Amino acid sequence: MLFRRPTTSPVSVGALWWRHFYAWHDGYFFKHRSCTKNVPCIGPAFRPVFAANPILIPATDTRLGKQLEGVTRFIPPRGVQPRSQNHLWRSIQAVWHSWNSPRALAYRQHHNLQNDGGSAVIIQAMVFGNAAGRSGTGVLFTRRPDTGENTLFGEFLPHAQGEDLVSGAVTPQVLSDLSTYAPKIFDELSHYAKTLERAQNDMQDIEFTFEKDTLWILQTRSGKRTANAAFRIAYDRVMAGESTREQSLTSLDPMTIDGLLYPHLIEPHELSPIARGLATSPGSAIGYLTFDPEAVTPNSILLRSETSAEDVPAMLLAKGVVTLRGGMTSHAAVIMRSIGKPCISGLEKATITPQGLEVNGSVFPIGTTVTIDGTAGILFQGQGTIEIPSFSFQTSRVLSWADEVRSLRVYANADTPEDILQAVTWGADGIGLCRTEHMMFQAQRLRLIQQFILAPTADWRNRALLELEILHQQDLSALLRAAGSKRLIVRLLDPPLHEFLPTSQEEKSLLASHWEQSLQDIEHRIEKRSEKNPMMGQRGCRLGLAFPELYAMQIRALFGAMDQVTASGLSPDCGVMIPLVSHVKELQTLRTLFYALDPKERRVDFGVMIETPRAALIADELAQWVDFISFGTNDLTQMTWGLSRDDCNPITQTYHGLGISDPFCTLDTVGVGQLIQWACTKAQSVNPHIAISVCGEHAANPHNIGFFHRTGIGAVSCSPWALPRVRLAAATAVLSHDGVSPPKGQSALWKRG
């Protein structure tokens, strides 16, 4: 355990943010070149319980040359012989070198950590738990790490060293037996355990050794714990007056709460891994490998090279999805996160063959029982054991404290009544993004929109729209009833039209037969709708410009649905959002269409998504015509980086080796973030009361919430299953030194939010 003294003007040294680094051993100091004083790093009150005051040697850079440049001289502990000094120095260098070992690199990559930190070396004089007399070694937690109960928990071994305990070669004794074996040691240990917990303001994981009835504390650190334990400890410490609500909130990792939301796999080591990939949607499920979307059942794990919009019905039905390609913001990842089912993307060294899934020469045929772990990104063979977690009273109370503190509104992306009800359960303030295209993939609706796109006559197209409007109004009415009085933002159709078109010969033949057309004519019409780069083609608002009757149908359906639910006594609060706008004339044209359909006295606003760099740069022009703007950070990142989010996995792996974070996971605050800041400033300069939000996948990452808070964003919208973590992160942003209140006059909340 080391205590370092921060200064008012910190300087970054590797991954450690302190100005001075000191080492102390029997009155001798090791001093780094940046030091200006000689101050011991361990406070006098704690020194008696530590094993021979340790030496701290910092690694200032991952490059060894830089590390060694920072060392002015090495002062060995008193009495160490020259040969031992050389051995000690080589050991120090080995620790530094271990920073770039394959295992360390793999660990940081798995946990999305950067490589530009470094290691610190602690040297301690040896104490012997295997000495004669009353001696031993052990590990304890100041509270139970599985439940959070306020009682000491741990194990010890008499006449043993630490490696005997951790190796598992010998069965240890429970910590409570120490009170009988060595009462004096147990009493001291209990005292120091509480002292260290108070000093560190957190539950501690402590390693100790006692030699001939003398106790030595070797190390203490914040203890790892289950999600339920984390929230119980935070709650209990506040109730006991040991911590404030604010301190407890900032002590929690927002990602911890995910463990309480998803089914998770117990004892995965008992299963045989088939392959690994990106953990793109958390949770676990057991099912049968299914390759054909038409053959999917509620017990299927759908395996595809990649998914598209036409796969959505099968994805909704399946227990989980695995794709060979794609990244964190691929189609499969986004859809499965939104519905709270597990997904793995970018499966390594895997191919789909007529025989089945082939991985490293092994073939797993259709129907193989598999277990998908979307939290770890591993596909297992066989049937695992899955546990369904739940919220405790303490967790709910801590989240309520977060809601009292945060200024960001937290909305959900939801496309079905079930999604909305789940979002409300997890504490959504409203629905910030309802993607209407996802309603169009039910069989009857898909047939009608295909008829609109491909029908040979205008009469057929108009009949398709009339039928589609009735069904669309029913869908929107169900969504409004589920939302109640909460705000619901409806985005008009966004994807390229070809995503709705049939791809199999069977589907094409059915259409040809239905319309009494030749198969060749149908294929010709489909070919006319194809695009070389559809994500940059006729999609978003360009659909509304090319087919204004399509957007008009959606707007009429929404107004009709609002009138229906209003008549039943509800007070719907809606917004209509236009996607992928890049020019103000696009927006003006569609705004004219919107108001020509006469919103009347309905509570409905008109807004725009900012998804292209050009839209961000002209945000002041756009803001004059709308009530709100929302940043679609998935597309904004894709277009700013020139990087396909569906094919980015190999590239982001290369980037990680260069110390570049995945821009689809961690917001690029220098590039994309600068566009967002610019757009906010420009929009508010002409429309001070404009409501501003973010509805891309970046809103689900707690690491991005501080930036959105500082920028003055009023709301974020994320998948329902990410809501609890984002609520907690929004409170942390206010309480931490990184979070500041939005400047006065800026919109901090959604309009009518």
Side-chain angles (χ1 to χ4, degrees), residues 444-465:
Q444 187 178 8
R445 292 152 181 78
L446 184 59
R447 179 183 62 78
L448 289 170
I449 201 164
Q450 288 174 344
Q451 180 176 324
F452 171 77
I453 299 168
L454 298 175
T457 66
D459 180 58
W460 277 76
R461 288 195 294 274
N462 290 335
R463 277 193 286 163
L465 277 183

Side-chain angles (χ1 to χ4, degrees), residues 339-450:
I339 61 177
K341 292 185 179 181
C343 179
I344 301 173
S345 300
L347 207 64
E348 297 174 352
K349 302 176 183 177
T351 56
I352 297 176
T353 69
Q355 291 72 40
L357 172 65
E358 183 173 335
V359 182
N360 294 326
S362 298
V363 177
F364 303 90
I366 295 171
T368 299
T369 299
V370 295
T371 299
I372 175 176
D373 187 347
T375 305
I378 305 175
L379 181 67
F380 294 96
Q381 184 178 13
Q383 181 170 329
T385 302
I386 292 177
E387 181 179 76
I388 308 296
S390 61
F391 269 14
S392 65
F393 164 77
Q394 291 91 342
T395 302
S396 298
R397 286 293 295 137
V398 172
L399 281 174
S400 72
W401 298 343
D403 292 336
E404 293 172 12
V405 170
R406 63 182 170 90
S407 60
L408 271 174
R409 291 266 178 169
V410 180
Y411 290 85
N413 304 336
D415 312 317
T416 67
E418 294 77 18
D419 288 347
I420 292 177
L421 293 173
Q422 185 64 74
V424 172
T425 300
W426 296 131
D429 296 319
I431 306 304
L433 175 63
C434 176
R435 295 157 290 203
T436 53
E437 57 267 19
H438 292 165
M439 305 171 198
M440 302 296 181
F441 290 104
Q442 298 175 37
Q444 187 178 8
R445 292 152 181 78
L446 184 59
R447 179 183 62 78
L448 289 170
I449 201 164
Q450 288 174 344

Side-chain angles (χ1 to χ4, degrees), residues 201-202 230-231 233-238 243-257 394-407 702 724-736:
N201 200 31
D202 195 11
F231 283 88
I233 291 169
Y235 176 83
D236 286 351
R237 285 178 55 80
V238 172
S243 178
T244 65
R245 289 185 179 186
E246 292 76 15
Q247 288 171 328
S248 286
L249 287 171
T250 55
S251 72
L252 289 166
D253 178 359
M255 295 299 292
T256 302
I257 201 168
Q394 291 91 342
T395 302
S396 298
R397 286 293 295 137
V398 172
L399 281 174
S400 72
W401 298 343
D403 292 336
E404 293 172 12
V405 170
R406 63 182 170 90
S407 60
R725 81 162 84 124
V726 176
R727 290 162 61 194
L728 192 57
T732 303
V734 174
L735 298 171
S736 71

Side-chain angles (χ1 to χ4, degrees), residues 67-86:
Q67 294 170 349
L68 298 181
E69 285 173 14
V71 176
T72 53
R73 63 191 181 113
F74 172 60
I75 305 176
R78 181 180 298 156
V80 177
Q81 299 302 314
R83 181 179 297 179
S84 299
Q85 292 178 25
N86 292 334

Side-chain angles (χ1 to χ4, degrees), residues 49 60 87 132 144 200 210 241 443 449 462 485 501 536 667 679 717:
V49 303
T60 63
H87 178 74
R144 286 191 66 99
Q200 296 298 94
F210 52 102
I449 201 164
N462 290 335
S485 60
L501 300 183
M536 306 272 289
L667 185 76
S717 189

Side-chain angles (χ1 to χ4, degrees), residues 413 433 609 630-634 694-700 717-719:
N413 304 336
L433 175 63
M609 286 189 80
S630 187
F631 292 97
T633 55
N634 296 345
V694 170
C695 61
E697 286 298 309
H698 295 90
S717 189
C718 59
S719 299

